Amino acid sequence: LGDVYKRQTLRFDSTSMTKEHKNRLKMLRANIAAQDLDGQMELYVFADNHNYFGLDELDEEGETVKWGYEKAQELAEELGTHVAQEHYDYLIKKLAQILTTMNTNNHLFRFGHGVASGVNDIEKAWGDIAICLEKLDIKKVNSNFVGGFVRYVYDNYSDKAQLILDGLLNSDRLNQIFPLVQFDCPLDEVAVSRLITSLKNNTSPSWMYRNMASGRRHESISDSDLITILDLLWLQPNGHSTVIEILTM
């Protein structure tokens, strides 16, 4: 509400203001907008929350037509698009926190998906994300934001996504999270070839390959490639349990 009044002040009174007063008011509005963004980011991106009952959408008979957690995921994605379009510098300042937030809902993925849909330049945005990733302890990185970003790129600019995935695989600093990001995209022949290379290079912990069992993703892999992957996994530390989990799903 305060922001609305300030917009009206700028619209109707700016002609009678001094330049200094207009600049101060614009700065105040920017600070209020940033504080509002902080609150939205905390609620829809950083919080490890699964219950958003207050967002449940009901029909006229009081029946739930959309659960609050579904609406919260939509809002996380919309927020990503908005921040990418209108507050890119703010996004860059928050990247380290975004990339190291450990939560168990799907909001970071959806936020990343929204960011990719909102940026003007996919290559520049990915470059900024990669620079931030390289400065972090990769073992403390949550790949969900990256996964959401890359999945949007895959669905809309496949060639660019292939370059990003190749870059992750071949990066000495970032290759550890490669399998998790790859599993967020369809497992075509190129993807499977990358996964085999990653296993041969032994750059990622075996538990990451449990995602092959999620949604029965492994069923899209040819029998010969699946045998190769499972054989390589079996040789990894703690790989036995991962192989058994994949085969029993």
Side-chain angles (χ1 to χ4, degrees):
L1 183 59
D3 195 39
V4 172
Y5 288 139
K6 290 172 182 62
R7 287 178 186 271
Q8 292 176 338
T9 302
L10 272 178
R11 180 178 299 173
F12 297 116
D13 301 335
S14 61
T15 55
S16 62
M17 288 183 184
T18 66
K19 183 177 181 181
E20 180 184 359
H21 286 164
K22 283 192 286 187
N23 289 339
R24 287 176 62 187
L25 188 54
K26 288 179 181 179
M27 186 178 297
L28 179 60
R29 277 185 53 196
N31 289 338
I32 291 173
Q35 290 172 10
D36 185 48
L37 277 179
D38 284 341
Q40 293 180 65
M41 290 288 290
E42 186 60 37
L43 181 60
Y44 298 121
V45 180
F46 298 132
D48 192 11
N49 189 7
H50 294 263
N51 300 318
Y52 290 85
F53 300 120
L55 296 178
D56 290 348
E57 295 184 359
L58 309 177
D59 61 19
E60 294 179 355
E61 298 177 353
E63 297 294 326
T64 301
V65 295
K66 181 177 291 184
W67 295 106
Y69 76 89
E70 296 175 308
K71 183 63 178 178
Q73 290 183 14
E74 291 178 2
L75 291 171
E77 185 159 343
E78 291 173 9
L79 180 60
T81 303
H82 171 68
V83 170
Q85 291 176 339
E86 304 294 337
H87 305 280
Y88 190 78
D89 289 343
Y90 174 89
L91 173 67
I92 298 304
K93 290 178 182 178
K94 289 288 185 179
L95 266 182
Q97 184 178 359
I98 292 167
L99 291 165
T100 55
T101 291
M102 295 296 172
N103 55 22
T104 56
N105 55 37
N106 199 39
H107 291 199
L108 281 166
F109 181 93
R110 295 292 294 269
F111 182 76
H113 200 269
V115 166
S117 74
V119 294
N120 292 323
D121 187 331
I122 290 290
E123 288 92 343
K124 179 184 184 308
W126 173 248
D128 289 336
I129 294 168
I131 288 171
C132 185
L133 279 169
E134 289 174 353
K135 295 177 182 177
L136 299 172
D137 180 350
I138 200 66
K139 295 180 180 179
K140 296 180 179 179
V141 167
N142 182 342
S143 69
N144 287 344
F145 169 80
V146 176
F149 184 96
V150 175
R151 180 54 191 261
Y152 177 87
V153 179
Y154 182 95
D155 290 338
N156 294 275
Y157 311 98
S158 179
D159 290 347
K160 295 180 181 180
Q162 303 296 351
L163 291 174
I164 292 173
L165 290 163
D166 284 340
L168 286 173
L169 174 65
N170 296 317
S171 169
D172 291 338
R173 289 192 54 80
L174 308 183
N175 54 18
Q176 180 171 314
I177 64 169
F178 159 75
L180 295 176
V181 180
Q182 180 66 81
F183 285 129
D184 282 324
C185 298
L187 294 182
D188 55 21
E189 290 184 5
V190 176
V192 171
S193 176
R194 288 195 197 97
L195 290 170
I196 291 173
T197 298
S198 178
L199 280 167
K200 288 180 178 178
N201 292 340
N202 193 21
T203 54
S204 306
S206 60
W207 65 262
M208 291 185 176
Y209 289 83
R210 293 175 183 168
N211 283 14
M212 282 180 58
S214 177
R216 305 188 70 83
R217 290 186 178 102
H218 63 286
E219 292 183 350
S220 65
I221 303 174
S222 70
D223 290 345
S224 60
D225 284 337
L226 182 58
I227 290 170
T228 299
I229 288 173
L230 295 179
D231 283 345
L232 289 168
L233 263 178
W234 191 263
L235 299 175
Q236 304 290 327
N238 303 311
H240 293 190
S241 60
T242 302
V243 170
I244 292 170
E245 185 171 340
I246 293 170
L247 292 175
T248 54
M249 288 295 288

